[in-house]
Amino acid sequence: MSDDERGALTKRLLPDGVEPDPRFTLANERTFLAWVRTALAFIAGGIAVEAFTGDLFPTAIRQILAILLLVLGMLLAGGAAVRWLNVERAMRRKKPLPVPLIVPIVSLVSAVAAGALALVIANL
């Protein structure tokens, strides 16, 4: 019998290293969940823009803004999972934590969406 009592998926995703302090693993999980909540907020925003701003924005602008928010939410959800795994692996291997790629993506897309919204409102 093996000393490794972890499940098959855990062994596959986290094959090496030592188990980190549970507090760090749980903090990593809370950060993941915060990114997922942010992703859900962007997705809800995209749905709201499409559903409730029909008389406020031209169709093309409304659709572009909604799609931009939905795609950002999708990227954030996927990026959160990748980030969680990369941080968990780094902690187990006692390596430096990776730079979060999703932060500049969120910042850039949010700035573009806010700028597009400001332009549309300025032209109303």
Side-chain angles (χ1 to χ4, degrees), residues 28 31 35 78-88 97-102:
N28 188 27
T31 302
W35 281 113
V82 170
R83 174 150 174 78
W84 172 85
L85 186 57
N86 289 338
V87 168
E88 192 68 24
L97 297 181
V99 174
L101 179 62
I102 54 181

Side-chain angles (χ1 to χ4, degrees), residues 57-70:
F57 300 123
T59 302
I61 298 293
R62 186 181 75 242
Q63 288 176 342
I64 289 169
L65 189 56
I67 289 170
L68 188 65
L69 290 169
L70 291 169

Side-chain angles (χ1 to χ4, degrees), residues 23-35 37 84 88 91:
R23 293 174 293 179
F24 299 131
T25 297
L26 293 172
N28 188 27
E29 185 176 317
R30 284 190 301 273
T31 302
F32 164 76
L33 293 172
W35 281 113
R37 282 190 303 270
W84 172 85
E88 192 68 24
M91 288 190 305

Side-chain angles (χ1 to χ4, degrees), residues 2-54:
S2 171
D3 289 338
D4 193 352
E5 297 177 7
R6 303 178 305 154
L9 181 62
T10 303
K11 289 178 191 177
R12 184 176 177 111
L13 293 175
L14 305 166
D16 58 349
V18 295
E19 192 72 25
D21 184 325
R23 293 174 293 179
F24 299 131
T25 297
L26 293 172
N28 188 27
E29 185 176 317
R30 284 190 301 273
T31 302
F32 164 76
L33 293 172
W35 281 113
V36 170
R37 282 190 303 270
T38 304
L40 289 171
F42 276 104
I43 291 168
I47 293 169
V49 164
E50 181 58 32
F52 301 117
T53 63

